[in-house]
Amino acid sequence: MVCSLTAWLYGGDLIKPILQVALDLLELDRAVQIALEASDGGADWIEAGTPLIKSEGMDAVRELRKALPGKKIVADMKTVDTGSMEVEMAAKAGANIVAILASSDDSTVSDALRAARKYGVEIVVDLLGSPDPVERSREMEALGVDYICVHVGIDQQMIGQRAIDFLDDILGTVKIPVAVAGGIDASSAAEAIASGASIVIVGGSVTRSPDVTASSRKVREAMDRAMGGVNRRERKSMDEEMFEIFKEVSTPNISDAMHRKGAMRDVLPINPGQKIVGRAITVQTFEGDWAKSVEAIDLAGPENVIVIYNGSRYVSCWGGLATQSCKMKGVGGVVIDGAVRDLDEIREMGYPIFASSITPMAGEPKGMGEINAEITCGGLAVRPGDIIVGDDSGVVVIPRERGYEISRRAKEVEKTESRLREEILRGRTLSEVANLKKWEKK
Ligand SMILES: O=C([C@H](O)CO)[C@H](O)[C@H](O)COP(=O)(O)O
């Protein structure tokens, strides 16, 4: 769909779309540094994000105001009660705009507005979590708020929700300027502007990048170009997106995203330097038997990883011929809680196998066991269809119903690490960057 310029006609004036960079960080010194870098890249407004405000209080707003005297500072208070008190607090700390939640009672919104008029700040109402965002945005406009923010929160993004999907409905409902937030990058910023949003709020895709200035500039330029209209991209299927991400992130990223769980024990790459990503075909077999392991190859394709519980470190259930057969069929890889043999042949084939041990001795094809039943492999339950990712750090199992979510969360872990790495490269130690002492459990 081609979108056209409709929106930035506010009160008859063409206003340049605003780039707001949201600082959802825990450390104030890092937030200020990132704010300065984002401003250099063209950020118009700087937001003290809710996590930063929770971590540092109103000092977050004070320090940003001090560091960026000419910029508009937005305090993302996410107020739901005591509207007046929270607006006063933020205004006195130096905020120009205060964000409150649309799910607040009207009495809270009205009192926040009275305080805003008194202290000379503006109110943006965030539709995050509103059961009926269209109706609520109409009500908010009637109450007199200054901006509406179409927002899909970070946790909602992880399960596939997108702000852009209901932006048009809100743009068609209210006349006040509309902001859009939630996982926005340069491409979606352009789409939002072309649809008619006036303000684009960008968090992680800028603040967690190693080069914040360049990333902000990229969004800024995409927004400016989009004023001539852009093609809206077709959305990939969630499965496609998920597998793409799993190919990019590491098993440590995934395990971190699973709250440090999901890693198999004692199952390691026997042919390092290779990555596997696929849906599990499971095999339960027994010491001295390799029939079911090999029969599973006939059911597998490139989108699969064969996951075998053999349980013996001393008799192998897999070797060179099985590997050759898998390679011919393009099967994604093999993971074995048990032993393999023919390592030299497997290495020569460059095929990814993860196993617990290597031994020359094989079993016989007796035909015991089962294919595609729930098994335990590397100490973890694996069901057919669960997602398996393996690399040089080991193998992780992602429950099939959480595949998309975990892929998105792992991507966030990867982004955070890339910014931390950059700060280490600039000369700070990891414990300084992570502020370990401050965040030790008290
Ligand atoms: O408001 C936000 C969120 O609720 C956490 O406070 C974010 O600032 C907003 O979603 C923008 O961040 P990204 O989604 O990372 O772009």
Side-chain angles (χ1 to χ4, degrees), residues 22 24 47 49-51 76 78 126 128 151-154 157 181-184 201-205 208 412:
D24 292 313
E47 172 191 313
T50 316
D76 187 5
K78 289 201 175 65
D126 184 339
L128 178 71
H151 183 195
V152 160
I154 291 171
Q157 292 164 39
I184 305 286
I201 303 173
V202 181
S205 76
R208 281 188 248 165
E412 295 306 302

Side-chain angles (χ1 to χ4, degrees), residues 155-220:
D155 292 327
Q156 293 170 298
Q157 292 164 39
M158 301 300 124
I159 55 169
Q161 296 181 23
R162 305 188 313 170
I164 201 94
D165 292 338
F166 69 109
L167 176 63
D168 289 345
D169 293 341
I170 307 301
L171 286 164
T173 304
V174 297
K175 292 198 171 50
I176 54 176
V178 172
V180 61
I184 305 286
D185 59 12
S187 317
S188 44
E191 284 173 13
I193 292 302
S195 299
S198 304
I199 302 153
V200 168
I201 303 173
V202 181
S205 76
V206 160
T207 59
R208 281 188 248 165
S209 97
D211 189 340
V212 168
T213 305
S215 304
S216 312
R217 190 169 297 126
K218 194 170 160 202
V219 180
R220 173 80 266 164

Side-chain angles (χ1 to χ4, degrees), residues 17 43 91 96 117 123 134 158 188-189 222 257 268 299 342 353 417 422:
N96 306 93
R117 302 306 169 235
I123 295 293
V134 170
M158 301 300 124
S188 44
L268 293 169
L299 303 177
D342 303 325
I353 307 259
E417 287 198 354
E422 167 62 23

